[in-house]
Amino acid sequence: PTYALAACMLAMTTLHRTIPVGGTVFAFGLYLWRRPLWYWLLTLAFVLPGVLLRTVLLKLLCRRDRPSLYTALLSLSTYSFPCGHVTGATLFYGLLAAFLASRIPAWGSRAAIFLFAACMVIVVGISRIYLGVHYFSDVAAAAAWSVAWVVMWLVALDALRPQYAA
């Protein structure tokens, strides 16, 4: 691995740790509350705890050890499955993309927003695999289940949308 690539991967994984992502999600929630955009705040309030709880429970249930590579750039003692970084990135970028797309009428711009969100999640997943702390299946499962969770709540809470102006 090259130093520049390793540094980029470490930066990507550091930016998507629990505290930075949690702080960003909190700032997003504060923005929604101050507007007040109740539908989106309610969506965030339902999506976040479920994703976090599901990730912790799956790690404890599956108890999958992390890859044991001699060249791993990070060493972690927690379980591998599912990838918490990808879960957090999917939650944040997925909700942010849905929120932004709901405010932009142009189809092409909406597609670009979702493409950017997907690329960010993919890059986070690649960084975790590159650093040797996750298997591809950890990353793929976290992304798939998190997308399904976010979409499920977006659809379920859409029934409340007429009640709210946002």
Side-chain angles (χ1 to χ4, degrees):
T2 67
Y3 176 77
L5 182 58
C8 286
M9 294 297 163
L10 281 169
M12 185 58 64
T13 204
T14 300
L15 288 172
H16 290 88
R17 294 180 75 178
T18 303
I19 291 177
V21 169
T24 308
V25 169
F26 179 78
F28 182 47
L30 190 59
Y31 169 82
L32 297 173
W33 177 70
R34 294 196 64 152
R35 282 290 181 191
L37 299 168
W38 302 120
Y39 167 78
W40 289 102
L41 187 60
L42 185 63
T43 301
L44 183 63
F46 275 97
V47 168
L48 183 61
V51 163
L52 297 176
L53 181 61
R54 187 217 54 202
T55 300
V56 170
L57 289 176
L58 281 174
K59 282 185 180 284
L60 293 174
L61 181 66
C62 295
R63 295 176 174 245
R64 184 178 194 181
D65 290 331
R66 293 191 181 268
S68 55
L69 304 171
Y70 293 110
T71 59
L73 297 175
L74 287 179
S75 178
L76 301 172
S77 61
T78 56
Y79 294 119
S80 177
F81 184 88
C83 178
H85 281 69
V86 169
T87 298
T90 304
L91 162 75
F92 175 68
Y93 292 115
L95 282 178
L96 184 62
F99 172 74
L100 292 174
S102 74
R103 290 171 158 39
I104 296 173
W107 183 89
S109 297
R110 287 179 176 188
I113 289 168
F114 281 106
L115 181 62
F116 174 77
C119 286
M120 289 304 296
V121 172
I122 289 167
V123 170
V124 171
I126 289 170
S127 76
R128 302 302 286 164
I129 295 167
Y130 180 88
L131 294 171
V133 293
H134 281 289
Y135 297 101
F136 173 77
S137 57
D138 301 339
V139 168
W145 289 345
S146 297
V147 166
W149 184 259
V150 169
V151 169
M152 178 193 74
W153 280 110
L154 286 171
V155 170
L157 292 174
D158 194 54
L160 297 175
R161 194 175 194 114
Q163 222 174 328
Y164 299 105

